[in-house]
Each structure stands twice: as structure tokens, then as C-alpha cells.
Amino acid sequence: MKKIRILQTGIANTGGGTTQYILNNWKNINHELFQFDFITYSDKLDFAEDLISQGCKIYYMKNRAENDKAAAREELRKVFSNGYDIIHLNTSYWKSLEMERLAKECNIRRIIVHSHNTGIYDESDREEKLAKHNLIRNSLTEDIATDYWACSKKAAEWLYGNNIPKNKIRIMNNAIDTERFSYNASVRDRCREQNGWENNILIGHIGRFSYQKNHEFIIDVFNKLSKLDSRYRLVLIGKGPKEQEIKELALEYNIDEKIKFLGYTDVPEKWMQAMDIFILPSHFEGLGLVLIEAQASGLPCFASDTVPKEADVTGLVEYIELCREDWVKKILTCNENFDREKYCIKVEQSGYEIRKQIKVIEEAYMNI
């Protein structure tokens, strides 16, 4: 049987949620039936060799349609000429419609637009980008693509507004490998011993250092907590444009020695075992995939009230307004003394297990 060839957009070297979603799907999908190739606007991908060794092609794009329409179309046309059945456009906000339009011109049979966020994550010109996003969203016609997917109802509303009929939008669960994140007491003990955290209460966060993830708020809350109880420690996983700024803020508060800045890691599950509490005080989220992972690890989670409620699949997530005093009070009174092992099964039963969800995606891809 001839493989169905799918061109994926949206991967980047940040290793963020959308990239992880795409790579998780590729890892678990039937390679005998489906082939993924990738478009990226990053200069490099640290995981490129793994993809290439599995027969994938990676196209490093130099031109964006919103900056140079003609050059971008020429570059994309060469990629599209390689005979793809499906283009899967993973996106956070509207920048232009040129990729969709060109895909139609090149007779790509399925054009899937997939919403993964609910705000502008870029650091520069946010208001200008928001105005452009709204302009495009409000001018959408339902024939611009063949399929409209989203990771949550909020993400669907953000990208499609009222111009795409609700019955044409499909919510696709951003599933995870639950076994990978399942609680492991020996991993926890080893990690805490190696870092001198045996007698500490460890708060954790995973996310790109950007406006969206609200690291300033994290540092502010932790500063207050550490003054009230010296046992608290903080681990921050991720990289991004605001990383140095946040490190300087921690230094200014004189709490830098109580914080571990890990950068990017390909073993987040190890650090989740060591944590006692997980926090996600984001300004906005499409879903908050990392919350699903944290729940699979049996962690009590605190999230801002802007995070979609669909992310709470176990009852472990408490949503709080972005008020420092409220967060401090909730964390201080958090009781994490319960059986963490059972929550992996709860996540699996909720429909966010990758081995089950990939069957839904395969079926969707087959319908060409």
C-alpha cells in the first residue's frame, strides 16, 4: 500500500508544546502507512538527525509570506511539488493565508489547519500582530482549508471565530505517552538526593521563557513563599528570550540560589517525579499539554484561570486568578500526600493517551 505523505508545519528548535505534539504523533503513528516530512523556520533542529534517520525530509524555510510574499510562495511551491497528500498546518495565530492558498493551487487534497494556542506568543509587535490576526480571522471563508482542528474549545474560538461553522471544527486531544510520565518513586528519590532536595518542597514549571508563560509572576510568588517557608525550592525548565531577564530578577530578589534553571531537557518526566507541586500561571494557553504530563505524574497543579478547563483530566488542577496572595495561600496549604501512582491511569482513561489517540489521527488522515 502506498504511504500517505503528510507535510507538517509548526516544528521549531524551542522544543515547545506544538513541536512535542507533532513529534509525539510521528513517533507513535504507523510508519508503514504514513510518512511525515517537516517545514521549519528555525535555523536548525537539534533533533534533525533522528528524523532524517527515520526517512523524514526537513525543509528549512528562509522566507515568510508576511514579510516577502513572492519569495515565500516560490520557496513553498518547490516544497509542495514533491507530491504531498496532506499538509497539516499547526499554528498559534494568523499571520497570512498564503500557505493555504498555495496548497490549494498545488492541488494538495487535504489542508488541515490546527489551532494550538489562544494568544500571540511572540515578544515583539504583539499589538500589531494581534490586529492582523483579528483581521484575517474575521475575513475567513470556510473553503480556505478542508479541515479545521483545535486542541481545545478556546483554541478553536481564538483561531476561527464565528466564520468557520462549529460543525466543521474538530477538537483533537493533545495526547501524551502516559507510561513515560507515570510516577516512579525511585527516580524521585534519586533526583532529589542528587540535587540536595531531600528535605525541600519542590515547585516546578516547564515552559518557554516568554510573555505567555508569565515567569515574572512565578518569581514574585516564589519570592514570597521562600520568605514564609525556607524549605521551598523552584525548578524552571525551558529556554527563551526572557530567560536572562528572569535570572536577573531572581538575583535581584536574592533567591537565585534556591532556583534551578535547567534549560531544555529531553527528560522532563525525570524532573516531574522530583517535584511536589506544578504551576502554570500563563497569560494564555491553547490547552496546556504540560499540565496533562504533570497530572500523569500525580502532581497537584495550579493554573491560571485563563488555561482551558479541558486540561484538568484528573481533578488535580486548581484554577486561580493571577493574584500573588491567592497563589501563595494555595501553595502553602497544598497537601500533596496522596497516591501519585494512580493518576497515570486516570489520564489514560480521559482520552489523552497517545497510543489510543493516534488511532483517531490515523483514521482522520486516511479520509483523503
Side-chain angles (χ1 to χ4, degrees), residues 176-209:
I176 66 166
D177 182 345
T178 53
E179 290 182 5
R180 177 184 174 190
F181 289 90
S182 178
Y183 179 67
N184 186 310
S186 62
V187 171
R188 172 184 170 82
D189 292 343
R190 186 162 58 250
C191 184
R192 290 174 71 90
E193 182 181 353
Q194 290 171 348
N195 289 278
W197 290 328
E198 295 96 325
N199 300 312
N200 293 123
I201 303 170
L202 185 60
I203 300 170
H205 176 269
I206 301 176
R208 184 171 180 262
F209 281 78

PDB file of all heavy atoms in Angstrom, residues 176-209:
ATOM      1  N   ILE A 176      -0.443  12.301  25.305  1.00  0.00           N
ATOM      2  CA  ILE A 176       0.935  12.089  25.751  1.00  0.00           C
ATOM      3  C   ILE A 176       1.194  10.602  25.940  1.00  0.00           C
ATOM      4  O   ILE A 176       0.267   9.785  25.975  1.00  0.00           O
ATOM      5  CB  ILE A 176       1.208  12.821  27.082  1.00  0.00           C
ATOM      6  CG1 ILE A 176       0.360  12.209  28.219  1.00  0.00           C
ATOM      7  CG2 ILE A 176       0.922  14.319  26.953  1.00  0.00           C
ATOM      8  CD1 ILE A 176       0.788  12.619  29.607  1.00  0.00           C
ATOM      9  N   ASP A 177       2.462  10.272  26.110  1.00  0.00           N
ATOM     10  CA  ASP A 177       2.859   8.914  26.476  1.00  0.00           C
ATOM     11  C   ASP A 177       2.720   8.805  27.994  1.00  0.00           C
ATOM     12  O   ASP A 177       3.612   9.204  28.752  1.00  0.00           O
ATOM     13  CB  ASP A 177       4.314   8.678  26.046  1.00  0.00           C
ATOM     14  CG  ASP A 177       4.788   7.266  26.343  1.00  0.00           C
ATOM     15  OD1 ASP A 177       4.116   6.552  27.118  1.00  0.00           O
ATOM     16  OD2 ASP A 177       5.851   6.874  25.825  1.00  0.00           O
ATOM     17  N   THR A 178       1.589   8.305  28.456  1.00  0.00           N
ATOM     18  CA  THR A 178       1.318   8.285  29.896  1.00  0.00           C
ATOM     19  C   THR A 178       2.316   7.421  30.659  1.00  0.00           C
ATOM     20  O   THR A 178       2.695   7.757  31.787  1.00  0.00           O
ATOM     21  CB  THR A 178      -0.112   7.779  30.165  1.00  0.00           C
ATOM     22  OG1 THR A 178      -0.307   6.527  29.503  1.00  0.00           O
ATOM     23  CG2 THR A 178      -1.135   8.785  29.666  1.00  0.00           C
ATOM     24  N   GLU A 179       2.773   6.323  30.053  1.00  0.00           N
ATOM     25  CA  GLU A 179       3.733   5.446  30.736  1.00  0.00           C
ATOM     26  C   GLU A 179       5.030   6.190  31.027  1.00  0.00           C
ATOM     27  O   GLU A 179       5.653   5.992  32.070  1.00  0.00           O
ATOM     28  CB  GLU A 179       4.011   4.212  29.883  1.00  0.00           C
ATOM     29  CG  GLU A 179       2.839   3.250  29.790  1.00  0.00           C
ATOM     30  CD  GLU A 179       3.169   2.019  28.978  1.00  0.00           C
ATOM     31  OE1 GLU A 179       4.353   1.883  28.573  1.00  0.00           O
ATOM     32  OE2 GLU A 179       2.251   1.214  28.727  1.00  0.00           O
ATOM     33  N   ARG A 180       5.429   7.043  30.106  1.00  0.00           N
ATOM     34  CA  ARG A 180       6.672   7.807  30.272  1.00  0.00           C
ATOM     35  C   ARG A 180       6.609   8.706  31.510  1.00  0.00           C
ATOM     36  O   ARG A 180       7.606   8.884  32.210  1.00  0.00           O
ATOM     37  CB  ARG A 180       6.922   8.647  29.022  1.00  0.00           C
ATOM     38  CG  ARG A 180       8.132   9.549  29.080  1.00  0.00           C
ATOM     39  CD  ARG A 180       8.224  10.403  27.838  1.00  0.00           C
ATOM     40  NE  ARG A 180       9.300  11.374  27.931  1.00  0.00           N
ATOM     41  CZ  ARG A 180       9.489  12.370  27.071  1.00  0.00           C
ATOM     42  NH1 ARG A 180       8.666  12.500  26.037  1.00  0.00           N
ATOM     43  NH2 ARG A 180      10.483  13.218  27.232  1.00  0.00           N
ATOM     44  N   PHE A 181       5.427   9.279  31.784  1.00  0.00           N
ATOM     45  CA  PHE A 181       5.294  10.231  32.878  1.00  0.00           C
ATOM     46  C   PHE A 181       4.742   9.613  34.155  1.00  0.00           C
ATOM     47  O   PHE A 181       4.555  10.308  35.148  1.00  0.00           O
ATOM     48  CB  PHE A 181       4.418  11.410  32.428  1.00  0.00           C
ATOM     49  CG  PHE A 181       5.098  12.295  31.430  1.00  0.00           C
ATOM     50  CD1 PHE A 181       4.980  12.058  30.073  1.00  0.00           C
ATOM     51  CD2 PHE A 181       5.892  13.355  31.844  1.00  0.00           C
ATOM     52  CE1 PHE A 181       5.622  12.859  29.145  1.00  0.00           C
ATOM     53  CE2 PHE A 181       6.548  14.165  30.931  1.00  0.00           C
ATOM     54  CZ  PHE A 181       6.412  13.922  29.580  1.00  0.00           C
ATOM     55  N   SER A 182       4.483   8.320  34.130  1.00  0.00           N
ATOM     56  CA  SER A 182       3.950   7.642  35.305  1.00  0.00           C
ATOM     57  C   SER A 182       4.891   7.790  36.494  1.00  0.00           C
ATOM     58  O   SER A 182       6.116   7.717  36.362  1.00  0.00           O
ATOM     59  CB  SER A 182       3.741   6.161  34.985  1.00  0.00           C
ATOM     60  OG  SER A 182       3.266   5.469  36.113  1.00  0.00           O
ATOM     61  N   TYR A 183       4.312   7.993  37.666  1.00  0.00           N
ATOM     62  CA  TYR A 183       5.115   8.256  38.870  1.00  0.00           C
ATOM     63  C   TYR A 183       6.040   7.098  39.196  1.00  0.00           C
ATOM     64  O   TYR A 183       5.647   5.938  39.181  1.00  0.00           O
ATOM     65  CB  TYR A 183       4.204   8.533  40.065  1.00  0.00           C
ATOM     66  CG  TYR A 183       4.957   8.782  41.342  1.00  0.00           C
ATOM     67  CD1 TYR A 183       5.747   9.919  41.482  1.00  0.00           C
ATOM     68  CD2 TYR A 183       4.898   7.874  42.400  1.00  0.00           C
ATOM     69  CE1 TYR A 183       6.453  10.146  42.666  1.00  0.00           C
ATOM     70  CE2 TYR A 183       5.590   8.093  43.576  1.00  0.00           C
ATOM     71  CZ  TYR A 183       6.372   9.231  43.697  1.00  0.00           C
ATOM     72  OH  TYR A 183       7.067   9.453  44.854  1.00  0.00           O
ATOM     73  N   ASN A 184       7.301   7.447  39.511  1.00  0.00           N
ATOM     74  CA  ASN A 184       8.319   6.456  39.846  1.00  0.00           C
ATOM     75  C   ASN A 184       9.059   6.944  41.085  1.00  0.00           C
ATOM     76  O   ASN A 184       9.835   7.898  41.024  1.00  0.00           O
ATOM     77  CB  ASN A 184       9.280   6.279  38.669  1.00  0.00           C
ATOM     78  CG  ASN A 184      10.278   5.157  38.883  1.00  0.00           C
ATOM     79  OD1 ASN A 184      10.921   5.086  39.918  1.00  0.00           O
ATOM     80  ND2 ASN A 184      10.420   4.300  37.881  1.00  0.00           N
ATOM     81  N   ALA A 185       8.813   6.301  42.209  1.00  0.00           N
ATOM     82  CA  ALA A 185       9.378   6.754  43.484  1.00  0.00           C
ATOM     83  C   ALA A 185      10.899   6.697  43.509  1.00  0.00           C
ATOM     84  O   ALA A 185      11.553   7.566  44.094  1.00  0.00           O
ATOM     85  CB  ALA A 185       8.798   5.916  44.628  1.00  0.00           C
ATOM     86  N   SER A 186      11.501   5.677  42.887  1.00  0.00           N
ATOM     87  CA  SER A 186      12.959   5.553  42.909  1.00  0.00           C
ATOM     88  C   SER A 186      13.617   6.668  42.098  1.00  0.00           C
ATOM     89  O   SER A 186      14.669   7.191  42.490  1.00  0.00           O
ATOM     90  CB  SER A 186      13.398   4.180  42.387  1.00  0.00           C
ATOM     91  OG  SER A 186      12.998   4.005  41.036  1.00  0.00           O
ATOM     92  N   VAL A 187      13.008   7.037  40.958  1.00  0.00           N
ATOM     93  CA  VAL A 187      13.525   8.156  40.162  1.00  0.00           C
ATOM     94  C   VAL A 187      13.430   9.448  40.966  1.00  0.00           C
ATOM     95  O   VAL A 187      14.348  10.265  40.986  1.00  0.00           O
ATOM     96  CB  VAL A 187      12.754   8.291  38.837  1.00  0.00           C
ATOM     97  CG1 VAL A 187      13.149   9.587  38.106  1.00  0.00           C
ATOM     98  CG2 VAL A 187      13.013   7.084  37.945  1.00  0.00           C
ATOM     99  N   ARG A 188      12.314   9.623  41.658  1.00  0.00           N
ATOM    100  CA  ARG A 188      12.123  10.803  42.504  1.00  0.00           C
ATOM    101  C   ARG A 188      13.211  10.894  43.573  1.00  0.00           C
ATOM    102  O   ARG A 188      13.866  11.933  43.721  1.00  0.00           O
ATOM    103  CB  ARG A 188      10.750  10.743  43.174  1.00  0.00           C
ATOM    104  CG  ARG A 188      10.527  11.820  44.235  1.00  0.00           C
ATOM    105  CD  ARG A 188       9.183  11.623  44.929  1.00  0.00           C
ATOM    106  NE  ARG A 188       9.043  12.492  46.098  1.00  0.00           N
ATOM    107  CZ  ARG A 188       8.671  13.766  46.051  1.00  0.00           C
ATOM    108  NH1 ARG A 188       8.424  14.340  44.885  1.00  0.00           N
ATOM    109  NH2 ARG A 188       8.564  14.473  47.167  1.00  0.00           N
ATOM    110  N   ASP A 189      13.415   9.811  44.306  1.00  0.00           N
ATOM    111  CA  ASP A 189      14.383   9.827  45.402  1.00  0.00           C
ATOM    112  C   ASP A 189      15.796  10.104  44.899  1.00  0.00           C
ATOM    113  O   ASP A 189      16.542  10.876  45.520  1.00  0.00           O
ATOM    114  CB  ASP A 189      14.343   8.486  46.153  1.00  0.00           C
ATOM    115  CG  ASP A 189      13.045   8.281  46.915  1.00  0.00           C
ATOM    116  OD1 ASP A 189      12.322   9.274  47.134  1.00  0.00           O
ATOM    117  OD2 ASP A 189      12.744   7.119  47.273  1.00  0.00           O
ATOM    118  N   ARG A 190      16.143   9.482  43.773  1.00  0.00           N
ATOM    119  CA  ARG A 190      17.488   9.650  43.220  1.00  0.00           C
ATOM    120  C   ARG A 190      17.722  11.096  42.772  1.00  0.00           C
ATOM    121  O   ARG A 190      18.770  11.686  43.054  1.00  0.00           O
ATOM    122  CB  ARG A 190      17.704   8.680  42.057  1.00  0.00           C
ATOM    123  CG  ARG A 190      19.124   8.670  41.514  1.00  0.00           C
ATOM    124  CD  ARG A 190      19.374   7.421  40.689  1.00  0.00           C
ATOM    125  NE  ARG A 190      18.445   7.277  39.582  1.00  0.00           N
ATOM    126  CZ  ARG A 190      17.494   6.342  39.530  1.00  0.00           C
ATOM    127  NH1 ARG A 190      17.322   5.497  40.524  1.00  0.00           N
ATOM    128  NH2 ARG A 190      16.697   6.263  38.471  1.00  0.00           N
ATOM    129  N   CYS A 191      16.741  11.663  42.084  1.00  0.00           N
ATOM    130  CA  CYS A 191      16.874  13.032  41.577  1.00  0.00           C
ATOM    131  C   CYS A 191      16.949  14.028  42.742  1.00  0.00           C
ATOM    132  O   CYS A 191      17.767  14.963  42.729  1.00  0.00           O
ATOM    133  CB  CYS A 191      15.702  13.368  40.667  1.00  0.00           C
ATOM    134  SG  CYS A 191      15.819  14.990  39.882  1.00  0.00           S
ATOM    135  N   ARG A 192      16.139  13.848  43.749  1.00  0.00           N
ATOM    136  CA  ARG A 192      16.135  14.763  44.888  1.00  0.00           C
ATOM    137  C   ARG A 192      17.433  14.653  45.697  1.00  0.00           C
ATOM    138  O   ARG A 192      17.980  15.666  46.170  1.00  0.00           O
ATOM    139  CB  ARG A 192      14.914  14.483  45.772  1.00  0.00           C
ATOM    140  CG  ARG A 192      13.603  14.899  45.104  1.00  0.00           C
ATOM    141  CD  ARG A 192      12.402  14.476  45.920  1.00  0.00           C
ATOM    142  NE  ARG A 192      12.269  15.249  47.152  1.00  0.00           N
ATOM    143  CZ  ARG A 192      11.588  16.386  47.255  1.00  0.00           C
ATOM    144  NH1 ARG A 192      10.984  16.907  46.194  1.00  0.00           N
ATOM    145  NH2 ARG A 192      11.505  17.005  48.417  1.00  0.00           N
ATOM    146  N   GLU A 193      17.944  13.426  45.826  1.00  0.00           N
ATOM    147  CA  GLU A 193      19.202  13.235  46.545  1.00  0.00           C
ATOM    148  C   GLU A 193      20.362  13.894  45.794  1.00  0.00           C
ATOM    149  O   GLU A 193      21.211  14.560  46.394  1.00  0.00           O
ATOM    150  CB  GLU A 193      19.470  11.741  46.732  1.00  0.00           C
ATOM    151  CG  GLU A 193      20.734  11.443  47.519  1.00  0.00           C
ATOM    152  CD  GLU A 193      20.980   9.953  47.675  1.00  0.00           C
ATOM    153  OE1 GLU A 193      20.098   9.157  47.290  1.00  0.00           O
ATOM    154  OE2 GLU A 193      22.056   9.586  48.185  1.00  0.00           O
ATOM    155  N   GLN A 194      20.391  13.721  44.477  1.00  0.00           N
ATOM    156  CA  GLN A 194      21.465  14.301  43.675  1.00  0.00           C
ATOM    157  C   GLN A 194      21.493  15.824  43.747  1.00  0.00           C
ATOM    158  O   GLN A 194      22.550  16.448  43.593  1.00  0.00           O
ATOM    159  CB  GLN A 194      21.321  13.855  42.221  1.00  0.00           C
ATOM    160  CG  GLN A 194      21.630  12.391  41.986  1.00  0.00           C
ATOM    161  CD  GLN A 194      21.259  11.928  40.587  1.00  0.00           C
ATOM    162  OE1 GLN A 194      20.573  12.632  39.832  1.00  0.00           O
ATOM    163  NE2 GLN A 194      21.691  10.732  40.215  1.00  0.00           N
ATOM    164  N   ASN A 195      20.334  16.432  43.972  1.00  0.00           N
ATOM    165  CA  ASN A 195      20.241  17.889  43.989  1.00  0.00           C
ATOM    166  C   ASN A 195      20.083  18.471  45.396  1.00  0.00           C
ATOM    167  O   ASN A 195      19.907  19.692  45.536  1.00  0.00           O
ATOM    168  CB  ASN A 195      19.060  18.332  43.123  1.00  0.00           C
ATOM    169  CG  ASN A 195      19.319  18.135  41.644  1.00  0.00           C
ATOM    170  OD1 ASN A 195      19.964  18.956  41.000  1.00  0.00           O
ATOM    171  ND2 ASN A 195      18.831  17.018  41.101  1.00  0.00           N
ATOM    172  N   GLY A 196      20.184  17.621  46.408  1.00  0.00           N
ATOM    173  CA  GLY A 196      20.107  18.099  47.778  1.00  0.00           C
ATOM    174  C   GLY A 196      18.732  18.592  48.184  1.00  0.00           C
ATOM    175  O   GLY A 196      18.600  19.502  49.009  1.00  0.00           O
ATOM    176  N   TRP A 197      17.689  17.965  47.612  1.00  0.00           N
ATOM    177  CA  TRP A 197      16.316  18.414  47.865  1.00  0.00           C
ATOM    178  C   TRP A 197      15.559  17.481  48.817  1.00  0.00           C
ATOM    179  O   TRP A 197      14.328  17.573  48.919  1.00  0.00           O
ATOM    180  CB  TRP A 197      15.526  18.474  46.550  1.00  0.00           C
ATOM    181  CG  TRP A 197      15.946  19.558  45.611  1.00  0.00           C
ATOM    182  CD1 TRP A 197      16.435  20.790  45.928  1.00  0.00           C
ATOM    183  CD2 TRP A 197      15.882  19.508  44.179  1.00  0.00           C
ATOM    184  NE1 TRP A 197      16.691  21.516  44.784  1.00  0.00           N
ATOM    185  CE2 TRP A 197      16.361  20.751  43.690  1.00  0.00           C
ATOM    186  CE3 TRP A 197      15.470  18.543  43.259  1.00  0.00           C
ATOM    187  CZ2 TRP A 197      16.434  21.048  42.333  1.00  0.00           C
ATOM    188  CZ3 TRP A 197      15.543  18.824  41.903  1.00  0.00           C
ATOM    189  CH2 TRP A 197      16.019  20.069  41.445  1.00  0.00           C
ATOM    190  N   GLU A 198      16.269  16.608  49.534  1.00  0.00           N
ATOM    191  CA  GLU A 198      15.570  15.600  50.343  1.00  0.00           C
ATOM    192  C   GLU A 198      14.560  16.220  51.312  1.00  0.00           C
ATOM    193  O   GLU A 198      13.512  15.633  51.573  1.00  0.00           O
ATOM    194  CB  GLU A 198      16.580  14.753  51.139  1.00  0.00           C
ATOM    195  CG  GLU A 198      17.509  13.906  50.274  1.00  0.00           C
ATOM    196  CD  GLU A 198      18.841  14.596  50.027  1.00  0.00           C
ATOM    197  OE1 GLU A 198      18.862  15.843  49.899  1.00  0.00           O
ATOM    198  OE2 GLU A 198      19.857  13.878  49.971  1.00  0.00           O
ATOM    199  N   ASN A 199      14.884  17.358  51.871  1.00  0.00           N
ATOM    200  CA  ASN A 199      14.023  17.974  52.880  1.00  0.00           C
ATOM    201  C   ASN A 199      13.314  19.224  52.365  1.00  0.00           C
ATOM    202  O   ASN A 199      12.830  20.035  53.154  1.00  0.00           O
ATOM    203  CB  ASN A 199      14.856  18.325  54.118  1.00  0.00           C
ATOM    204  CG  ASN A 199      15.505  17.101  54.737  1.00  0.00           C
ATOM    205  OD1 ASN A 199      14.849  16.079  54.947  1.00  0.00           O
ATOM    206  ND2 ASN A 199      16.791  17.201  55.026  1.00  0.00           N
ATOM    207  N   ASN A 200      13.264  19.367  51.051  1.00  0.00           N
ATOM    208  CA  ASN A 200      12.657  20.556  50.451  1.00  0.00           C
ATOM    209  C   ASN A 200      11.291  20.268  49.842  1.00  0.00           C
ATOM    210  O   ASN A 200      10.934  19.114  49.582  1.00  0.00           O
ATOM    211  CB  ASN A 200      13.575  21.137  49.373  1.00  0.00           C
ATOM    212  CG  ASN A 200      14.856  21.706  49.952  1.00  0.00           C
ATOM    213  OD1 ASN A 200      15.953  21.290  49.569  1.00  0.00           O
ATOM    214  ND2 ASN A 200      14.725  22.643  50.877  1.00  0.00           N
ATOM    215  N   ILE A 201      10.538  21.334  49.621  1.00  0.00           N
ATOM    216  CA  ILE A 201       9.283  21.268  48.874  1.00  0.00           C
ATOM    217  C   ILE A 201       9.574  21.872  47.508  1.00  0.00           C
ATOM    218  O   ILE A 201       9.871  23.068  47.396  1.00  0.00           O
ATOM    219  CB  ILE A 201       8.163  22.061  49.580  1.00  0.00           C
ATOM    220  CG1 ILE A 201       7.960  21.549  51.009  1.00  0.00           C
ATOM    221  CG2 ILE A 201       6.855  21.954  48.782  1.00  0.00           C
ATOM    222  CD1 ILE A 201       7.039  22.429  51.837  1.00  0.00           C
ATOM    223  N   LEU A 202       9.519  21.044  46.488  1.00  0.00           N
ATOM    224  CA  LEU A 202       9.961  21.463  45.157  1.00  0.00           C
ATOM    225  C   LEU A 202       8.776  21.866  44.276  1.00  0.00           C
ATOM    226  O   LEU A 202       7.891  21.057  43.998  1.00  0.00           O
ATOM    227  CB  LEU A 202      10.750  20.344  44.483  1.00  0.00           C
ATOM    228  CG  LEU A 202      11.389  20.674  43.133  1.00  0.00           C
ATOM    229  CD1 LEU A 202      12.383  21.827  43.263  1.00  0.00           C
ATOM    230  CD2 LEU A 202      12.066  19.458  42.534  1.00  0.00           C
ATOM    231  N   ILE A 203       8.781  23.126  43.849  1.00  0.00           N
ATOM    232  CA  ILE A 203       7.787  23.644  42.905  1.00  0.00           C
ATOM    233  C   ILE A 203       8.407  23.612  41.510  1.00  0.00           C
ATOM    234  O   ILE A 203       9.569  23.971  41.334  1.00  0.00           O
ATOM    235  CB  ILE A 203       7.399  25.090  43.270  1.00  0.00           C
ATOM    236  CG1 ILE A 203       6.811  25.146  44.677  1.00  0.00           C
ATOM    237  CG2 ILE A 203       6.404  25.653  42.259  1.00  0.00           C
ATOM    238  CD1 ILE A 203       6.637  26.555  45.196  1.00  0.00           C
ATOM    239  N   GLY A 204       7.646  23.181  40.523  1.00  0.00           N
ATOM    240  CA  GLY A 204       8.182  23.069  39.172  1.00  0.00           C
ATOM    241  C   GLY A 204       7.353  23.774  38.123  1.00  0.00           C
ATOM    242  O   GLY A 204       6.135  23.960  38.279  1.00  0.00           O
ATOM    243  N   HIS A 205       8.031  24.188  37.060  1.00  0.00           N
ATOM    244  CA  HIS A 205       7.373  24.791  35.895  1.00  0.00           C
ATOM    245  C   HIS A 205       8.168  24.412  34.656  1.00  0.00           C
ATOM    246  O   HIS A 205       9.406  24.391  34.668  1.00  0.00           O
ATOM    247  CB  HIS A 205       7.324  26.321  36.017  1.00  0.00           C
ATOM    248  CG  HIS A 205       6.746  27.003  34.807  1.00  0.00           C
ATOM    249  ND1 HIS A 205       7.532  27.418  33.753  1.00  0.00           N
ATOM    250  CD2 HIS A 205       5.471  27.327  34.484  1.00  0.00           C
ATOM    251  CE1 HIS A 205       6.753  27.976  32.834  1.00  0.00           C
ATOM    252  NE2 HIS A 205       5.505  27.932  33.250  1.00  0.00           N
ATOM    253  N   ILE A 206       7.447  24.093  33.582  1.00  0.00           N
ATOM    254  CA  ILE A 206       8.077  23.803  32.294  1.00  0.00           C
ATOM    255  C   ILE A 206       7.426  24.691  31.246  1.00  0.00           C
ATOM    256  O   ILE A 206       6.202  24.681  31.087  1.00  0.00           O
ATOM    257  CB  ILE A 206       7.916  22.324  31.895  1.00  0.00           C
ATOM    258  CG1 ILE A 206       8.537  21.411  32.960  1.00  0.00           C
ATOM    259  CG2 ILE A 206       8.553  22.063  30.530  1.00  0.00           C
ATOM    260  CD1 ILE A 206       8.347  19.929  32.702  1.00  0.00           C
ATOM    261  N   GLY A 207       8.230  25.475  30.544  1.00  0.00           N
ATOM    262  CA  GLY A 207       7.677  26.343  29.519  1.00  0.00           C
ATOM    263  C   GLY A 207       8.724  27.316  28.990  1.00  0.00           C
ATOM    264  O   GLY A 207       9.712  27.629  29.657  1.00  0.00           O
ATOM    265  N   ARG A 208       8.482  27.778  27.785  1.00  0.00           N
ATOM    266  CA  ARG A 208       9.377  28.729  27.141  1.00  0.00           C
ATOM    267  C   ARG A 208       9.385  30.047  27.907  1.00  0.00           C
ATOM    268  O   ARG A 208       8.344  30.515  28.362  1.00  0.00           O
ATOM    269  CB  ARG A 208       8.901  28.956  25.696  1.00  0.00           C
ATOM    270  CG  ARG A 208       9.782  29.841  24.848  1.00  0.00           C
ATOM    271  CD  ARG A 208       9.305  29.774  23.400  1.00  0.00           C
ATOM    272  NE  ARG A 208      10.115  30.596  22.521  1.00  0.00           N
ATOM    273  CZ  ARG A 208       9.786  31.822  22.115  1.00  0.00           C
ATOM    274  NH1 ARG A 208       8.645  32.353  22.536  1.00  0.00           N
ATOM    275  NH2 ARG A 208      10.562  32.504  21.320  1.00  0.00           N
ATOM    276  N   PHE A 209      10.581  30.618  28.065  1.00  0.00           N
ATOM    277  CA  PHE A 209      10.702  31.899  28.748  1.00  0.00           C
ATOM    278  C   PHE A 209      10.179  33.004  27.823  1.00  0.00           C
ATOM    279  O   PHE A 209      10.907  33.549  26.999  1.00  0.00           O
ATOM    280  CB  PHE A 209      12.154  32.170  29.150  1.00  0.00           C
ATOM    281  CG  PHE A 209      12.586  31.431  30.377  1.00  0.00           C
ATOM    282  CD1 PHE A 209      12.926  30.081  30.316  1.00  0.00           C
ATOM    283  CD2 PHE A 209      12.635  32.058  31.612  1.00  0.00           C
ATOM    284  CE1 PHE A 209      13.316  29.391  31.452  1.00  0.00           C
ATOM    285  CE2 PHE A 209      13.022  31.380  32.760  1.00  0.00           C
ATOM    286  CZ  PHE A 209      13.358  30.029  32.684  1.00  0.00           C
TER     287      PHE A 209
END
